Amino acid sequence: VLAVMLAPIFWLVASSLQNDGQLARGSYDLLHPTFQAFKDMWRTIDFERYFINSAIICTIAALLATAFASTAGYALARFRFRGSRPFGLAVIATQLIPGSMFLLPTFIGFLWLKQHVGIQLYDTRAGMIIVYTAFFTPVAIYFMRSFFQGIPRDLEEAARVDGCTPFWAFVRIVLPNAAPGLVATFVYAFLFAWDELLFVASLTEHNAETLPLGIRLFIGNYSQYYGQLMAAGVVSTIPVVVAFFAAQRWLVRGITAGAVKG
């Protein structure tokens, strides 16, 4: 099973180390790799711009979604107020609606804001950050609520006895203990935003295009740069792999921490 799962990754890396002629003939030479595709891909398209846009948009959106989810998830886990249960169910219910259903209203909303209010969100980093933050916050709230429910209330009560206000007990006691959940939520939102294509293809034109849009430019009607395409796939995968393995321990703890209470 491991070999089957790793075979596409091996094929991606091996193909990025061949030239276009070898790829066209299917004659792979693994003993004499070439890094020419990695050099050429930066000149064929403005790869640096796509990479920077992805890094900025995905990082900020993941941070905002995690910040909103930490406060909303804590409120749903600790407080009982009128409408708390319907609100919690409504948060999860948003995930039952296909994401493509939000695309047209979002596009029309961007145009309306530009025409009537003068706020430019179409083809801007700010617009994509807002879209991704809104898209990933509901499921992030669900993750964080489950995690906060697994943190004993005794810790907060002890902090209150020592003189902390409810807010500072949340900041100084709850959030440090919720670090695995925060990391898991951030990594989840970042990974999905990094690979998202539908919204960024429809809501951007030039200035805020991300890596998924840039990578597909290597294959056109009159040119096919398969080696550079594979090299771009390797480069775009490296940040995700590094982020995942760096936070792997926290990610696993964050996903499983809310599963068992007590």
Side-chain angles (χ1 to χ4, degrees), residues 11-154:
W11 177 74
L12 174 67
V13 176
S15 299
S16 68
L17 300 176
Q18 312 299 312
N19 57 47
D20 289 335
Q22 291 171 321
L23 292 177
R25 295 189 303 268
S27 56
Y28 282 49
D29 186 3
L30 301 180
L31 298 180
H32 301 86
T34 176
F35 294 91
Q36 190 61 39
F38 288 91
K39 299 177 183 179
D40 294 340
M41 73 176 188
W42 300 93
R43 296 191 296 265
T44 302
I45 67 172
D46 191 1
F47 191 81
E48 181 179 358
R49 175 172 61 88
Y50 295 104
F51 191 90
I52 293 175
N53 284 341
S54 287
I56 294 176
I57 293 173
C58 298
T59 300
I60 296 178
L63 286 174
L64 291 176
T66 303
F68 293 147
S70 63
T71 54
Y74 179 77
L76 292 175
R78 288 291 189 262
F79 304 119
R80 292 294 176 266
F81 51 89
R82 181 177 299 178
S84 61
R85 182 174 178 80
F87 179 80
L89 294 176
V91 168
I92 302 303
T94 59
Q95 303 306 301
L96 301 177
I97 304 175
S100 57
M101 297 292 292
F102 298 104
L103 181 58
L104 182 58
T106 302
F107 178 77
I108 295 176
F110 279 11
L111 296 182
W112 187 91
L113 288 174
K114 174 61 177 178
Q115 295 173 359
H116 296 84
V117 186
I119 299 177
Q120 176 68 24
L121 292 179
Y122 179 80
D123 195 26
T124 63
R125 292 174 179 172
M128 293 310 304
I129 289 172
I130 293 174
V131 169
Y132 286 158
T133 301
F135 194 75
F136 297 119
T137 294
V139 68
I141 292 175
Y142 177 76
F143 282 167
M144 291 308 303
R145 183 185 67 170
S146 300
F147 189 86
F148 285 131
Q149 288 175 343
I151 298 178
R153 293 177 179 266
D154 297 341

Side-chain angles (χ1 to χ4, degrees), residues 13 25 48 54 107 125-126 135 137 140 153 168 170 175 186 215 230 238 249 256 258 260-262:
V13 176
R25 295 189 303 268
E48 181 179 358
S54 287
F107 178 77
R125 292 174 179 172
F135 194 75
T137 294
R153 293 177 179 266
W168 285 113
F170 168 72
L175 284 183
F186 173 83
I215 290 177
M230 298 300 177
I238 290 176
R249 177 170 59 92
T256 61
V260 180
K261 300 179 183 178

Side-chain angles (χ1 to χ4, degrees), residues 14 78 85 93 109 130 172 185 191 253:
R78 288 291 189 262
R85 182 174 178 80
I130 293 174
R172 296 179 178 178
T185 302
L191 294 180
R253 287 180 57 188

